[in-house]
Amino acid sequence: MASVLGHIEKNLSILANLPRVALNNIRDIPGARKAAVRVGRGPGSGRGKTCGHGHKGQGQRNPSKPRVGFEGGQTPFYLRIPMHGFRNKFRKEYETLDLGKLQLMIDQGRINPKKSIDMKTLHDSGAVSKKITHGVKLLAKNSHKFSSRVDIEVSRATPQAISAIEQKGGKIVCAHYNKLGLRYLLKPERFDDRLPPRRARPKPKQMAYYTDPYTRGYLANEDKVRLLREKNQKN
C-alpha cells in the first residue's frame, strides 16, 4: 500500500511542477507532422519531370490504380458467377419488441399499464424504433421478467408472447395497418386538415393470420378468442 501511495505522490509532484496547459504552449508531438514532398521541381530532388511515375502507361495516369474489381477488360469475377437467391420485394419488416423491454419501460414509468397500449404508445415511449415501416412484432424474450397486466395491440406476436401476457391477466390483439394507416396512427396531427383514412383490409395472404383466433387476430371470432384466453389464464 505504501508503494502505491509513493507512486501516486511522485506523479502528483511531477504534475505540480509542469506548466499549465494553455493556448501558447500546446504543441504537436515531434514527428506528428511531416512536410509534403514537392514533385516536378527539377532532377536534383529525385521527383522531377515525371514526378516518380515513370514513362507512359497506366501508372502514369491519375489515379494510377484501376477501380476495385477491374480485371483489365475481361469479364470480372462477380459477373461470371451466376446469381444465387433473390430478395423478396413483398417482405414485411416488423420492429421487434420483447416482453423484457416492455416491462422495463413500464418500470421506468414511460408506459402506463393501466391504459390501453398501441403502437403509438410504443413509438412515443421509445420502446421501438422511431421508423415503424410495417408494424411491431411482440417476442417472448425475457418473459420471466414480465409481471404486468396490460392490454396491448401490435401487428404480430409469437405464441409464447401471447401466452405470457394472457397468463398475467392481460389481453393482446394483432391488428393490420397499411402504411397510410400507420402514418395516421403514429402521427394523427398530420391529418388535421383532411379526413382520416379508412381502415385497410389485410391482403389475401395476410387474411389467414388476422382471422385466426390462435394468433389473436382482430378479425377472428370473438367467442373462440375468449375461450382460448380463459384457457391461458387458468394455466
Side-chain angles (χ1 to χ4, degrees), residues 201-214:
R201 294 183 61 188
K203 293 184 179 180
K205 289 185 177 181
Q206 299 174 330
M207 187 64 74
Y209 184 88
Y210 292 107
T211 56
D212 189 357
Y214 287 93

Side-chain angles (χ1 to χ4, degrees), residues 66-195:
R67 58 176 172 79
V68 177
F70 183 70
E71 299 182 11
Q74 72 176 11
T75 305
F77 175 79
Y78 64 88
L79 291 180
R80 294 197 302 267
I81 302 302
M83 294 180 65
H84 177 72
F86 74 105
R87 186 173 179 85
N88 187 4
K89 64 180 181 179
F90 300 108
R91 67 192 181 278
K92 301 293 182 181
E93 296 180 354
Y94 297 98
E95 296 295 327
T96 58
L97 173 67
D98 60 78
L99 292 177
K101 188 172 183 179
L102 178 60
Q103 183 61 46
L104 177 64
M105 293 292 168
I106 293 174
D107 295 339
Q108 292 178 349
R110 300 169 72 175
I111 294 178
N112 186 1
K114 296 182 180 179
K115 295 183 179 180
S116 181
I117 301 172
D118 57 6
M119 286 185 281
K120 178 172 175 54
T121 307
L122 302 175
H123 174 269
D124 295 342
S125 64
V128 294
S129 173
K130 292 296 183 182
K131 186 178 180 181
I132 301 177
T133 307
H134 296 104
V136 177
K137 184 174 183 179
L138 190 63
L139 307 179
K141 185 178 178 182
N142 296 322
S143 59
H144 62 280
K145 299 180 181 179
F146 186 75
S147 59
S148 300
R149 181 177 179 177
V150 296
D151 182 0
I152 187 170
E153 180 189 87
V154 290
S155 300
R156 296 287 179 106
T158 61
Q160 295 82 3
I162 294 173
S163 299
I165 287 181
E166 293 180 349
Q167 285 173 4
K168 301 298 181 181
K171 180 181 177 183
I172 181 170
V173 177
C174 294
H176 169 73
Y177 289 91
N178 62 352
K179 289 188 175 182
L180 181 61
L182 269 177
R183 195 178 306 126
Y184 176 68
L185 175 67
L186 301 178
K187 299 180 180 179
E189 64 276 2
R190 295 189 177 183
F191 294 82
D192 291 340
D193 56 344
R194 49 180 170 169
L195 293 174

Side-chain angles (χ1 to χ4, degrees), residues 36-43 45-53:
V37 178
R38 302 179 70 226
V39 296
R41 294 297 182 270
S45 65
R47 292 291 187 270
K49 189 186 174 184
T50 56
C51 304
H53 280 249

